[in-house]
């Protein structure tokens, strides 16, 4: 919210009539006036001081969303001569003062998430062309991600706060050797429209062109994985809808999450499918440091034009951030030791978080009792009979207990698990299991 100052004492009542004569941007050395004006234009419609203050507060919040300004202040100035007669509006000038954020920012650091650690470096350039654009470039090297390079050019949709049009390019080289005996090299270029606070949540609409390669196939790789080796081109439109009211994204105790990601591939290229993944979570506080979390994840990849979904598009289940008590990608179809993923899958979990005896005041540390279940299957023709068979099949199931630690950057879990039901081919992980990441089942 912007700070408000007055150059003179305004003796009139807040409901008396006022008139804004002119708006001044006193400190805009780099940003164009045409970019800032739409965010504050509504103050010209104010007819009372109360309305003016309300509109100025809204305008200040919108300007902050541009991420190119800080310390926004508003000065209400009375010109040297203005009508004092009763029934005539007082005349005000509005001066907007602010600091333009540093145009270039660089940073390096480490990240941990979803069973992977990495080091990264990034570059941010603000106000690239003087119309509040930002350019971001980043590189990352990790334990599973051999290398990642990404560039994003963002243009705010003036005057809608937070709404962005983005152009992006990304190259990713990631290892799946531990579970599926191959690496993936992916190159992506596309555009997306980001719409926060829109229609019951935040929405992202996009188009992506993917050039992917399955390479470095292991010497002991299965025939199924060897068959996937080579190049593929995916041209897809995407939609992501997120509604999140949780008090924490890492270790929530209250609130709910709804996330739906959809993709249609087939606008050119040699990949044809419709894919959707749904995640729903509810967190209920029970009092005295106790809370319950319930999570459901469901996904399907439906082939189109008699295509068979690639291994790089399939759904994988199992691991310390997925269905605990099983190895990473340990649930679902396999060929030998290689996890092949499914075209339909689900995961379900319930967790009870408790205070740790003797450390009940440490909110970053909680005891954790959990039960997880999941299943993945390859279905090419999605007939009613096959869908019913998948839904009625007994899922892989595990229970366990441990402690959860809320680190500022991630969540750590130290669990002891007991698989109760394992299907043929499942890779179980009985006993101690360590988990690190941001999103857990």
């Amino acid at each position: 919210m912007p700070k408000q100052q007055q150059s003179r004492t305004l003796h009139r009542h807040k409901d008396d009539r006022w008139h804004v004569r002119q708006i001044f941007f006193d400190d805009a050395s780099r940003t164009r006036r045409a970019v800032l004006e739409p965010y504050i234009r509504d103050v010209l419609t104010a007819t009372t001081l109360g309305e003016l203050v309300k509109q100025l507060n809204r305008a200040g919040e919108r300007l902050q969303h541009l991420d190119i300004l800080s310390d926004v202040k508003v000065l209400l100035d009375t010109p040297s001569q203005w009508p004092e007669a009763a029934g005539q509006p007082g005349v005000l000038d509005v001066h907007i003062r602010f600091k333009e954020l540093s145009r270039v920012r660089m940073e390096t650091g480490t990240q941990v998430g979803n069973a992977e650690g990495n080091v990264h470096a990034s570059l941010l350039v603000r106000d690239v062309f003087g119309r509040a654009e930002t350019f971001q470039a980043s590189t990352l090297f990790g334990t599973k991600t051999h290398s990642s390079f990404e560039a994003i050019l963002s243009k705010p949709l003036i005057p809608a706060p937070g709404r962005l049009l983005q152009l992006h390019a990304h190259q990713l080289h990631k290892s799946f050797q531990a579970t599926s005996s191959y690496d993936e090299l992916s190159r992506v270029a596309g555009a997306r429209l980001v719409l926060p606070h829109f229609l019951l949540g935040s929405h992202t609409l996009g188009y992506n062109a993917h050039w992917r390669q399955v390479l470095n196939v292991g010497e002991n790789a299965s025939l199924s994985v060897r068959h996937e080796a080579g190049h593929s081109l995916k041209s897809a439109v995407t939609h992501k809808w997120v509604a999140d009211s949780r008090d924490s994204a890492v270790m929530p105790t209250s609130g709910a999450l709804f996330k739906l990601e959809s993709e249609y591939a087939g606008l050119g290229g040699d990949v044809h499918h419709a894919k959707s993944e749904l995640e729903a979570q509810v967190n209920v506080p029970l009092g005295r440091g106790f809370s319950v979390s319930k999570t459901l994840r469901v996904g399907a990849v439906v082939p189109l034009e008699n295509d068979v979904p690639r291994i790089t598009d399939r759904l994988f289940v199992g691991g310390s951030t997925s269905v605990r008590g099983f190895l990473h990608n340990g649930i679902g179809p396999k060929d030998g030791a290689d996890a092949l993923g499914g075209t339909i899958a689900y995961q379900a979990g319930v967790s009870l978080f408790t205070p740790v005896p003797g450390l009940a005041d440490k909110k970053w540390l909680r005891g954790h009792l959990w039960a997880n279940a999941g299943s993945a299957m390859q279905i090419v023709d999605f007939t009613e009979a096959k869908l019913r068979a998948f839904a009625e099949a007994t899922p892989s199931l595990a229970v366990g207990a441990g402690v959860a630690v809320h680190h500022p950057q991630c969540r750590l879990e130290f669990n002891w698990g007991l698989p109760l039901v394992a299907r043929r081919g499942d890779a179980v992980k009985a006993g101690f299991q360590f988990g690190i990441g941001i999103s857990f089942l």
Side-chain angles (χ1 to χ4, degrees):
M1 183 177 297
K3 299 178 181 178
Q4 298 176 10
Q5 298 179 348
Q6 293 176 294
S7 60
R8 302 174 188 169
T9 302
L10 302 177
H11 297 288
R12 295 189 174 195
H13 190 269
K14 68 177 182 178
D15 293 327
D16 286 347
R17 296 178 63 199
W18 296 85
H19 169 68
V20 175
R21 186 189 68 161
Q22 197 167 358
I23 300 172
F24 298 91
F25 298 97
D26 295 341
D27 303 301
S29 62
R30 188 174 66 235
T31 306
R32 299 178 185 179
R33 180 184 178 93
V35 175
L36 303 176
E37 278 185 338
Y39 291 89
I40 199 168
R41 188 177 296 155
D42 289 348
V43 304
L44 297 174
T45 64
T47 57
T48 68
L49 184 60
E51 290 179 4
L52 178 60
V53 170
K54 181 179 179 180
Q55 294 288 0
L56 287 172
N57 285 335
R58 291 181 58 190
E61 292 173 356
R62 290 176 176 178
L63 289 172
Q64 297 280 18
H65 274 290
L66 285 174
D67 195 32
I68 59 173
L69 309 175
S70 66
D71 297 332
V72 178
K73 298 178 182 178
V74 178
L75 177 71
L76 302 179
D77 189 20
T78 55
S80 57
Q81 294 182 353
W82 50 282
E84 288 282 352
Q88 294 187 0
V91 177
L92 290 174
D93 288 340
V94 175
H95 293 259
I96 309 297
R97 295 180 177 175
F98 48 79
K99 293 181 180 179
E100 292 180 317
L101 294 174
S102 173
R103 189 165 192 174
V104 179
R105 186 184 72 190
M106 300 182 65
E107 66 177 27
T108 60
T110 59
Q111 293 177 334
V112 177
N114 298 330
E116 180 178 12
N118 57 63
V119 296
H120 68 91
S122 63
L123 168 70
L124 171 66
V125 182
R126 295 186 175 94
D127 216 10
V128 180
F129 305 114
R131 300 190 65 86
E133 305 90 350
T134 59
F135 174 77
Q136 296 171 279
S138 62
T139 182
L140 178 149
F141 302 91
T143 54
K144 294 180 181 178
T145 302
H146 293 320
S147 64
S148 173
F149 305 95
E150 184 173 31
I152 303 173
L153 178 64
S154 301
K155 173 70 173 72
L157 299 180
I158 298 171
R163 297 186 181 182
L164 300 171
L165 178 62
Q166 296 182 326
L167 302 176
H168 63 95
H170 187 197
Q171 176 174 297
L172 175 69
H173 183 190
K174 192 166 185 177
S175 172
F176 296 91
Q177 296 289 345
T179 59
S180 302
S181 304
Y182 73 92
D183 289 355
E184 179 188 2
L185 178 61
S186 175
R187 300 177 180 90
V188 184
R192 55 183 172 239
L193 178 64
V194 181
L195 303 172
H197 314 297
F198 180 75
L199 293 179
L200 303 177
S202 298
H203 297 259
T204 302
L205 303 171
Y207 168 80
N208 297 313
H210 298 248
W211 175 24
R212 304 174 300 177
Q213 183 180 5
V214 173
L215 71 166
N216 297 339
V217 175
E219 293 182 359
N220 299 318
S222 63
L223 290 177
S224 297
V225 171
R226 293 180 184 277
H227 180 72
E228 297 284 343
H231 300 265
S232 64
L233 179 62
K234 180 170 72 172
S235 176
V237 291
T238 62
H239 173 246
K240 182 178 181 179
W241 174 18
V242 179
D244 191 352
S245 63
R246 297 174 298 173
D247 58 351
S248 169
V250 177
M251 201 158 74
T253 60
S254 65
L257 168 70
F258 175 88
K259 180 168 66 174
L260 177 63
E261 297 184 68
S262 302
E263 174 184 87
Y264 173 80
L267 304 176
D270 57 359
V271 176
H272 305 86
H273 66 240
K275 179 179 180 179
S276 287
E277 295 181 80
L278 168 69
E279 179 175 3
Q281 184 183 91
V282 177
N283 301 278
V284 181
L286 303 178
R288 297 187 178 183
F290 290 82
S291 64
V292 171
S293 177
K294 293 176 283 186
T295 305
L296 174 66
R297 298 172 181 168
V298 181
V301 187
V302 181
L304 304 175
E305 299 185 17
N306 298 317
D307 201 355
V308 177
R310 308 298 200 276
I311 192 171
T312 49
D313 293 311
R314 295 179 201 150
L315 306 168
F316 292 85
V317 177
S320 58
T321 61
S322 175
V323 178
R324 304 170 182 86
F326 294 84
L327 293 177
H328 183 63
N329 295 351
I331 296 174
K334 292 183 176 58
D335 186 349
D338 292 333
L340 303 179
T343 56
I344 187 170
Y346 72 86
Q347 308 166 52
V350 59
S351 296
L352 173 65
F353 292 97
T354 71
V356 176
L359 298 171
D361 58 328
K362 307 297 183 182
K363 294 185 178 180
W364 52 268
L365 180 65
R366 283 291 177 262
H368 183 206
L369 304 175
W370 52 266
N372 292 169
S375 182
M377 182 182 295
Q378 284 194 26
I379 298 177
V380 176
D381 50 335
F382 279 67
T383 63
E384 181 179 351
K386 290 189 176 182
L387 291 174
R388 185 184 300 111
F390 172 73
E392 295 176 351
T394 302
S396 303
L397 173 67
V399 297
V403 294
V405 180
H406 187 174
H407 185 273
Q409 294 183 343
C410 62
R411 174 164 141 192
L412 310 176
E413 287 191 358
F414 304 87
N415 291 313
W416 188 92
L418 176 63
L420 299 180
V421 178
R423 305 181 68 175
R424 183 178 180 181
D426 285 352
V428 301
K429 183 65 174 74
F432 176 77
Q433 188 173 30
F434 172 67
I436 184 169
I438 297 175
S439 178
F440 283 77
L441 185 65

